[in-house]
Amino acid sequence: MADSPALPAVNREWHLLSRPVGWPRPEDFALVEAEVPTPGEGQVLVRNLFLSVDPYMRGRMSAAKSYVAPFELGKVMQGGAVGEVVASDAEGIAVGDHVLHFFGWREYAAVDAKNAVKVDPQAAPLSTYLGVLGMTGLTAYAGLLRTASFKEGDAVFVSGAAGAVGSQVGQIARLKGASRVIGSAGSDEKVKLLVDEYGFDAAFNYKAGPVGEQLRAAARDGIDVYFDNVGGDHLEAAIGSLNRDGRIAVCGMISVYNNTEPAPGPRNLARLIQTRGRIEGFLVGDHYDLQPQFVQEVGAWVRSGELKYRETVVEGIDNTLEAFLGVLRGDNTGKMIVKL
């Protein structure tokens, strides 16, 4: 085994103590000290450098049956992470390599080599492999181009448009020839960012008035595609503005994640009959076949500066929970990253 000579005695990691009801509370979690693991055969030990916190993690804190197993009580949570290999008992991955894996919420992780993807810190900053060139970027790419069947000339509406996924959806639509790109966000500063930096044709602050009215004003000729990160009143508004043969890709519904009662559905679903509209949910895990195409196309846009991205970086393992809660509140602009 190849290893690094100086490993700390303690590995700090976040455990889920109880399943949140409504908004997660700090007492539902604990930052625990554990031993730094020793990698077994076929494993590598990774010193995590950047952690990802994402809205979908709220669902894993519930015991409800879903598309992915819930976090176990009293055990360390999981999430995307990128880090440096400090010990290796696996062929093909050496000490000093950098890898992307799914054992975040901790400082050190023993990872099966088959579950670690080598990344190049010279090709792009390491944090981008958790965002614009990572799972969130592929989510935007697959949801817009495959699930929503985007085509040149479509008018596109994106909710949560200043977030990591939404900001990329709008830019990809613009680069692919959308006739109009409209976004919603939760502050005037984010609205300005969408138009001035990301090139959206129009954007509005959903807190400033009824979403349906603001969308109709921004999309007088209706919309052909809605990329849904929010649900609730945004989904109802999108159905109300949907053109003939319009498509809605449901990526997330952050507005209802902390509800303790079922959220009411859109009241205008019958309009889908008139418009021959389609609503389809999707998971990025079903679209990893697009990864090579995604990295090639989006990577080129990032390098050329045609596709811009923002990151909100929180420092320290101690602040990982607060970073996660910040995502649920909408504090972040672009991808929320924890730097260790």
Side-chain angles (χ1 to χ4, degrees):
M1 181 192 297
D3 58 18
S4 169
L7 292 177
V10 173
N11 182 29
R12 290 182 295 170
E13 53 188 40
W14 280 96
H15 288 204
L16 182 66
L17 300 184
S18 57
R19 303 206 181 276
V21 177
W23 274 88
R25 304 166 304 160
E27 50 264 40
D28 294 324
F29 308 85
L31 183 60
V32 174
E33 290 188 351
E35 290 184 4
V36 175
T38 300
E41 185 177 353
Q43 289 190 323
V44 295
L45 179 64
V46 183
R47 178 170 66 90
N48 288 331
L49 300 175
F50 295 95
L51 308 179
S52 176
V53 287
D54 303 280
Y56 80 86
M57 293 173 174
R58 176 62 183 88
R60 295 196 67 186
M61 294 170 188
S62 165
K65 188 175 181 180
S66 184
Y67 61 89
V68 64
F71 293 134
E72 294 185 56
L73 292 180
K75 294 190 177 180
V76 62
M77 295 183 290
Q78 298 175 341
V82 65
E84 181 182 1
V85 174
V86 294
S88 176
D89 196 6
E91 291 186 14
I93 302 180
V95 170
D97 284 345
H98 292 84
V99 296
L100 173 68
H101 62 89
F102 207 68
F103 294 90
W105 290 85
R106 69 199 82 184
E107 292 175 309
Y108 287 83
V111 182
D112 290 343
K114 64 182 180 182
N115 296 327
V117 177
K118 284 204 286 188
V119 295
D120 184 358
Q122 303 303 316
L126 284 173
S127 59
T128 63
Y129 293 105
L130 295 174
V132 66
L133 295 178
M135 185 177 71
T136 52
L138 182 59
T139 299
Y141 190 86
L144 177 68
L145 301 183
R146 179 174 281 173
T147 305
S149 304
F150 171 85
K151 60 184 183 298
E152 186 176 356
D154 280 343
V156 177
F157 171 46
V158 187
S159 58
V165 173
S167 60
Q168 204 155 338
V169 171
Q171 292 183 83
I172 292 171
R174 175 176 54 78
L175 289 163
K176 289 280 192 180
S179 62
R180 190 164 176 78
V181 179
I182 301 148
S184 72
S187 72
D188 292 341
E189 291 78 13
K190 290 181 179 180
V191 167
K192 180 175 170 56
L193 174 72
L194 292 177
V195 176
D196 293 351
E197 185 166 330
Y198 294 149
F200 282 59
D201 297 288
F204 60 84
N205 182 347
Y206 67 83
K207 297 175 182 176
V211 174
E213 292 179 10
Q214 294 196 78
L215 178 58
R216 284 192 295 273
R220 298 193 181 279
D221 295 324
I223 60 172
D224 303 297
V225 168
Y226 170 48
F227 193 103
D228 190 15
N229 289 307
V230 173
D233 54 356
H234 281 75
L235 179 55
E236 185 169 297
I239 293 171
S241 287
L242 206 62
N243 289 332
R244 166 75 186 263
D245 298 317
R247 290 88 64 202
I248 295 174
V250 181
C251 175
M253 292 193 173
I254 197 169
S255 69
V256 302
Y257 285 168
N258 294 304
N259 287 5
T260 56
E261 298 292 333
R267 297 166 295 181
N268 57 348
L269 282 173
R271 194 166 186 280
L272 295 175
I273 302 169
Q274 305 163 242
T275 61
R276 290 72 152 179
R278 169 168 63 86
I279 301 180
E280 183 177 345
F282 75 98
L283 295 174
V284 66
D286 296 332
H287 301 282
Y288 280 124
D289 61 296
L290 291 175
Q291 180 84 16
Q293 173 185 326
F294 157 72
V295 170
Q296 181 179 14
E297 189 166 23
V298 175
W301 286 332
V302 170
R303 286 190 296 273
S304 70
E306 292 174 276
L307 192 148
K308 297 176 172 59
Y309 67 94
R310 289 278 190 101
E311 294 175 341
T312 299
V313 179
V314 172
E315 300 264 354
I317 186 78
D318 313 67
N319 295 314
T320 305
L321 176 60
E322 181 56 29
F324 168 70
L325 297 175
V327 170
L328 297 182
R329 292 191 299 260
D331 293 351
N332 56 304
T333 299
K335 183 76 185 76
M336 181 72 90
I337 298 285
V338 179
K339 181 180 180 181
L340 303 190

